Amino acid sequence: MYVKLSSITMPVLSRYRGGILILLLALLASGCNGSDSTSSESAVAPAAPVPVVGVQEVRQQSLVLNTELAGRTTAYRIAEVRPQVTGIIVERTFQEGGEVKAGQTLYRIDPARYQAAYDSAKSTLARDQAALTTARLKVKRYANLLKTKAVSQEAYDEARAALQQAQATVAMDEAALQAARIDLDYTQVSAPIDGRIGRSAVTQGALVTGNQTTALATIRQLDPIYVDVTQSSAELLRLKKALGEGELQRPEGFSAPVELILEDGSRYPHPGKLEFSEVSVDESTGSVTLRALFPNPDQQLLPGMYVRAQVQNGVREGAILVPQQAVSRDAAGRTTALVLNGDDQVEKRSLTVSRAVGNQWLVEEGLTVGERLIVDGLQKIQPGDTARATPLTAETTPGSGVSTPN
């Protein structure tokens, strides 16, 4: 816009030019301030997005509770083979480390002296049996003669006494013959049980004595096989209390099944069952011995092996299991977890957990069925924050797997 100034107005402008200059400077400053305000408004950062967390609904389930105990395998039967008679070993008839059957001959001891003793006892018996026959006939004759008074009563009584003596002698001879037969049979050292026999302590030509302390060999029956494990008396008391108060249930006729984990970490394919619990507590360890019986058809288990046995204690109804990655400890050492409430706000909960079940914790207190437990995205939130939930399942939960009670 252009203004034409005449010569008349020039003096007036000259008089007010100081004020006009001040007005122009004020307008210029006002324009600059408006530009700075617009720049500040455009520099404000946008609002942070709401974090997304993975949640899992808290549910109850039926849980089989197991206790893992350390133990060792023990042969079902053990028999130490010892000689019953004295003599020289003339033959060993088994293969060391092989299978033997009950009654199978293992060693042969020189039978010559025992055969002679048997033959002598047999002859003595035959002689005394002949004397018994004579005494019996004599009594029979005297009985007839006594009726006609041909012999005296005294003679008849003596004949009867002689008969009784002959009968006793024959009985003694029969016992002696039986003993001689037993000694002769003992020259054949046989296996008392079925099983696998170990190494032989003697060789052919060795002298052995009756009932010696050193065993000739040892036989072990390995199928089935025992597993002896130990459990602390305190844990046993807690288990009995849980059963008594109804926290654990056992079906009628329940026989606690047992599974084995071998030294290399593999699982033994054949389940066993608990046979009995010792009736006393070991004073030195404060533990009780439990014995389980396992089939061992392939003889994979050998006596003395170290194993871990998982003993089924019972069924826990209404158990709450949560993933271990959802549980942490605060600075005071308390077990805590984060849940998302109905307003999508993060809340901190104190938990009481009793045991690990696979990759999960068994929660006793602190959570309610139906609550949303935060499992994933814990590093992005704090208690009091607002978050958006994404449901997780057992397949999508990080680190989830098959739950195996321990």
Side-chain angles (χ1 to χ4, degrees):
M1 179 177 182
Y2 297 94
V3 179
K4 184 177 180 181
L5 300 176
S6 63
S7 60
I8 300 174
T9 61
M10 288 302 293
V12 178
L13 291 175
S14 175
R15 192 185 344 176
Y16 294 103
R17 65 182 178 182
I20 294 173
L21 179 60
I22 293 173
L23 179 61
L24 289 175
L25 291 174
L27 291 174
L28 180 60
S30 175
C32 291
N33 290 337
S35 176
D36 291 344
S37 175
T38 303
S39 177
S40 298
E41 291 176 359
S42 62
V44 174
V50 176
V52 178
V53 293
V55 300
Q56 181 176 308
E57 183 180 351
V58 177
R59 297 178 180 178
Q60 290 182 333
Q61 59 181 289
S62 178
L63 175 66
V64 177
L65 291 182
N66 291 347
T67 299
E68 187 170 295
L69 304 172
R72 291 193 180 274
T73 55
T74 304
Y76 183 70
R77 290 178 181 172
I78 301 176
E80 294 182 339
V81 179
R82 288 187 174 88
Q84 301 296 305
V85 294
T86 300
I88 300 295
I89 298 292
V90 295
E91 186 181 7
R92 191 194 76 195
T93 61
F94 67 91
Q95 181 68 35
E96 292 176 312
E99 293 287 336
V100 296
K101 296 293 183 181
Q104 176 181 336
T105 299
L106 304 177
Y107 298 93
R108 288 192 175 92
I109 298 174
D110 185 5
R113 56 182 292 191
Y114 300 102
Q115 184 66 52
Y118 174 77
D119 293 341
S120 175
K122 187 176 182 181
S123 300
T124 301
L125 175 60
R127 181 197 64 193
D128 291 338
Q129 284 177 335
L132 175 61
T133 301
T134 301
R136 186 176 290 115
L137 292 174
K138 185 175 181 180
V139 169
K140 187 177 181 180
R141 283 197 309 271
Y142 276 25
N144 292 329
L145 293 174
L146 183 61
K147 295 176 182 179
T148 61
K149 305 296 183 178
V151 295
S152 65
Q153 183 67 42
E154 182 181 2
Y156 175 72
D157 293 340
E158 290 177 353
R160 287 192 60 187
L163 174 61
Q164 292 175 350
Q165 184 175 2
Q167 289 174 336
T169 301
V170 168
M172 292 175 59
D173 293 342
E174 288 176 344
L177 180 63
Q178 181 67 18
R181 182 182 294 113
I182 291 173
D183 286 344
L184 182 59
D185 291 341
Y186 279 158
T187 61
Q188 308 281 335
V189 182
S190 58
I193 62 173
D194 296 344
R196 178 177 289 186
I197 193 168
R199 62 183 180 86
S200 175
V202 296
T203 60
Q204 183 176 353
L207 173 65
V208 295
T209 59
N211 300 315
Q212 64 183 35
T213 57
T214 303
L216 303 182
T218 301
I219 303 173
R220 294 176 175 86
Q221 184 175 341
L222 304 182
D223 185 23
I225 193 168
Y226 285 129
V227 174
D228 291 338
V229 297
T230 55
Q231 184 179 32
S232 69
S233 57
E235 179 64 27
L236 190 61
L237 289 175
R238 283 194 293 268
L239 175 60
K240 290 183 177 180
K241 182 180 179 181
L243 291 170
E245 295 178 351
E247 295 180 11
L248 288 179
Q249 287 80 37
R250 285 182 175 178
E252 186 176 353
F254 177 84
S255 179
V258 186
E259 295 184 354
L260 283 187
I261 299 177
L262 304 180
E263 291 177 298
D264 59 357
S266 63
R267 189 171 292 273
Y268 186 63
H270 305 288
K273 62 179 181 179
L274 195 64
E275 286 286 290
F276 77 97
S277 172
E278 189 58 82
V279 296
S280 61
V281 177
D282 189 328
E283 296 180 1
S284 61
T285 61
S287 60
V288 179
T289 299
L290 309 178
R291 170 163 283 185
L293 185 65
F294 284 82
N296 192 26
D298 303 324
Q299 297 191 2
Q300 184 178 357
L301 299 177
L302 298 177
M305 290 180 63
Y306 172 79
V307 294
R308 287 179 291 143
Q310 292 182 340
V311 183
Q312 188 178 122
N313 295 329
V315 179
R316 174 79 172 270
E317 300 293 345
I320 295 179
L321 294 176
V322 299
Q324 290 185 357
Q325 67 266 24
V327 179
S328 61
R329 292 188 181 275
D330 58 17
R334 295 184 297 264
T335 305
T336 62
L338 298 179
V339 299
L340 201 61
N341 63 18
D343 297 329
D344 290 338
Q345 288 186 335
V346 179
E347 294 183 1
K348 184 177 181 180
R349 297 290 176 82
S350 294
L351 306 183
T352 301
V353 297
S354 58
R355 63 166 65 195
V357 181
N359 61 352
Q360 298 175 303
W361 287 113
L362 176 60
V363 178
E364 302 293 344
E365 296 179 355
L367 291 177
T368 305
V369 175
E371 287 187 314
R372 294 181 296 174
L373 176 70
I374 300 176
V375 178
D376 193 20
L378 296 169
Q379 70 279 3
K380 299 183 293 185
I381 55 175
Q382 294 291 334
D385 291 350
T386 300
R388 184 162 57 88
T390 297
L392 297 177
T393 63
E395 290 77 15
T396 59
T397 300
S400 65
V402 178
S403 174
T404 303
N406 292 322

